Amino acid sequence: MASLRLKLFSLCLICISCIATSTLEQETEFECVSMYTQSALQHPQMKNHQIQTKPSRELLSMLSTSNDDTITKIVLEGSEECPKGQVPIHKPKTNVTNNFIYPQQFTKEGRLLRQDRRVYKRSMNEHTYSSTLSQKYKKHLPKVFREYNQHYAIIKTFENTTKKWRGAQGLFDINKPRVGQHQYSKAWIWLNHIQGNVMTSIQFGVAVHTRLYGDDTPRLTTLWMAGKQQNGCYNALCPGGYVQVHKSIFPGMVYDKVSVPGGEHHTVHLSVAEDPVTKNWVLTIGTMMIGYWPRQSYMAEGASEVYFGGFAGTSMAQTLSPPMGTGEFPTKDLTRSSFMKQLKYVLQDYTVVDINSNEIELYVDNPKCYAVMFLKYVDFDSRETLTFGGPGGHCRL
């Protein structure tokens, strides 16, 4: 009898655990808000903005020629649609901006330089576009948290090139690196434009960010910088920034299925390209429009730099650097390494092409902790491919 009671008690504990786990997983991480009153539209310059709800035929044609049916599928089990006229906005666990550090070039001697591109020095509580903005607008501005020990394992277009690009895309391997508290690790694409000391940047990919999200799950993530807004802003909570239009897929959304090194791999195809008609910079999964950044005046001629690869760091100083990718150094074995395939960019005439290996250089700021391998053209399905990763650890420069 005592043995039976013990078994029943154990079963009850298991049931309680299951209920608790189920409740945690079902906790809503987003709120449905009116498409027309979301934070992005609260900027004074967005007062008469006409929302773009679908890609133009020209943009759709670009995406259709660069994507095939196999990469437009995305697993959305259990995802909920917002009611008509509303869109999902991720509810952050913490403040949603960061201090952005830009990776600078190597000197002739091969030593690494890192330059902070921020123009205006601000305190941790400051975040203003100008002193003339309304109090109503200022209420929408999130506070700042810093990001430290930032590390890159990327390929990038050459410095000082005169070329411009109107978008970039890739097929991302969805990994879940062992990221601890106050750490983040990303598979990332950057579209940058630099004019003097002002940097405009649209960034996107798959990120694990414990400070931003409060957990270690991989998520669709974006970051935006523009003009005087030199503190980067994550996802959809900055006035004048990213505009959400899809009813169920959104920045901050969790990817439930992750890749297993040596086992099954799960991928997502992400693209950001300037719409030839509206001039908005549109985020898509395959050919499906998720949202966009309104026309960027600083990027009217396109991005001057494009990066692809891994990015990791911490949101606290004096902290170990996190793993990147699978947590192992990359190899040519794509079944065991974290990869980005089908790497393409959009030329100034809106033609989508494979990245040109003759216009690309590798950049790793700390080879003892991270690495990147550019495999160039692998096969018809993978096309231009890179692998990246590393264990992290004591990586401070």
Side-chain angles (χ1 to χ4, degrees):
M1 177 65 79
S3 177
L4 177 61
R5 287 177 179 173
L6 182 60
K7 288 181 180 179
L8 290 173
F9 179 72
S10 298
L11 288 172
C12 287
L13 288 178
I14 293 172
C15 290
I16 292 170
S17 175
C18 290
I19 292 170
T21 302
S22 176
T23 302
L24 181 64
E25 290 177 350
Q26 292 175 6
E27 180 184 357
T28 302
E29 290 198 329
F30 67 91
E31 55 184 343
C32 292
V33 303
S34 169
M35 180 185 297
Y36 305 97
T37 60
Q38 58 183 291
S39 294
L41 303 179
Q42 302 308 309
H43 192 286
Q45 294 181 355
M46 300 288 284
K47 184 176 181 180
N48 298 315
H49 178 74
Q50 184 174 356
I51 297 177
Q52 179 179 355
T53 58
K54 58 183 180 180
S56 67
R57 274 188 280 183
E58 290 81 354
L59 177 59
L60 197 57
S61 176
M62 288 165 49
L63 297 172
S64 299
T65 57
S66 64
N67 301 335
D68 59 47
D69 291 337
T70 62
I71 60 177
T72 60
K73 298 175 182 177
I74 179 171
V75 178
L76 291 172
E77 295 177 358
S79 63
E80 301 177 11
E81 283 195 354
C82 287
K84 184 177 180 180
Q86 296 186 0
V87 292
I89 301 295
H90 177 258
K91 296 189 295 186
K93 303 292 184 183
T94 185
N95 300 325
V96 292
T97 63
N98 76 303
N99 284 351
F100 182 87
I101 306 295
Y102 168 78
Q104 182 64 344
Q105 64 186 10
F106 288 93
T107 64
K108 292 181 180 179
E109 294 77 16
R111 292 177 299 174
L112 182 66
L113 295 177
R114 294 164 71 91
Q115 179 179 348
D116 190 337
R117 291 273 179 173
R118 287 171 293 145
V119 181
Y120 303 102
K121 293 182 179 179
R122 296 192 175 111
S123 70
M124 292 293 287
N125 291 325
E126 284 182 319
H127 186 86
T128 57
Y129 288 38
S130 73
S131 60
T132 60
L133 298 181
S134 67
Q135 291 300 316
K136 179 182 178 181
Y137 166 49
K138 289 181 180 179
K139 290 180 181 179
H140 290 272
L141 296 174
K143 294 181 181 179
V144 174
F145 67 81
R146 288 185 178 273
E147 292 184 346
Y148 300 88
N149 307 330
Q150 297 178 317
H151 299 288
Y152 302 80
I154 61 175
I155 63 173
K156 63 190 187 76
T157 52
F158 289 134
E159 301 278 349
N160 303 320
T161 179
T162 58
K163 284 195 169 185
K164 297 291 189 293
W165 293 272
R166 298 194 182 275
Q169 59 183 247
L171 183 69
F172 291 75
D173 189 22
I174 302 174
N175 286 281
K176 186 180 179 181
R178 295 177 180 272
V179 172
Q181 189 177 14
H182 302 297
Q183 294 181 334
Y184 61 88
S185 188
K186 308 174 184 179
W188 215 231
I189 294 179
W190 293 254
L191 291 162
N192 303 329
H193 177 78
I194 298 172
Q195 185 172 358
N197 288 323
V198 177
M199 178 172 175
T200 299
S201 183
I202 293 174
Q203 304 169 29
F204 61 100
V206 178
V208 177
H209 198 313
T210 56
R211 179 76 185 275
L212 177 63
Y213 296 118
D215 60 32
D216 62 351
T217 57
R219 299 169 184 259
L220 170 63
T221 304
T222 65
L223 188 140
W224 168 76
M225 298 170 57
K228 296 179 180 180
Q229 190 345 32
Q230 290 294 285
N231 285 316
C233 180
Y234 279 106
N235 297 340
L237 295 179
C238 267
Y242 173 83
V243 178
Q244 174 69 23
V245 297
H246 198 277
K247 293 172 66 176
S248 61
I249 306 174
F250 57 96
M253 179 191 74
V254 172
Y255 290 116
D256 292 319
K257 295 188 176 181
V258 299
S259 298
V260 178
E264 186 177 5
H265 281 256
H266 297 276
T267 58
V268 60
H269 188 273
L270 299 175
S271 169
V272 169
E274 185 185 43
D275 190 309
V277 177
T278 65
K279 304 302 181 181
N280 296 323
W281 291 74
V282 178
L283 171 67
T284 57
I285 294 180
T287 57
M288 185 165 43
M289 180 174 174
I290 310 305
Y292 64 93
W293 291 265
R295 179 195 298 248
Q296 303 289 305
S297 59
Y298 286 91
M299 294 177 70
E301 296 181 359
S304 56
E305 301 174 332
V306 185
Y307 306 156
F308 303 86
F311 182 41
T314 68
S315 52
M316 284 191 68
Q318 310 300 326
T319 304
L320 292 179
S321 298
M324 187 186 290
T326 63
E328 303 290 337
F329 286 108
T331 71
K332 293 182 179 180
D333 183 357
L334 296 180
T335 67
R336 307 199 66 85
S337 293
S338 179
F339 59 77
M340 291 172 63
K341 299 179 178 179
Q342 302 172 11
L343 301 178
K344 301 185 180 185
Y345 41 48
V346 184
L347 301 180
Q348 207 159 9
D349 63 357
Y350 297 99
T351 303
V352 183
V353 298
D354 291 339
I355 63 174
N356 186 342
S357 59
N358 295 320
E359 299 176 344
I360 295 294
E361 60 184 343
L362 277 63
Y363 179 96
V364 179
D365 69 278
N366 196 318
K368 76 174 185 179
C369 292
Y370 308 104
V372 61
M373 295 180 67
F374 184 29
L375 305 182
K376 301 183 179 180
Y377 186 91
V378 174
D379 54 41
F380 181 78
D381 290 328
S382 299
R383 307 194 74 81
E384 301 290 327
T385 299
L386 66 80
T387 65
F388 68 92
H394 294 280
C395 305
R396 294 188 67 189
L397 297 177

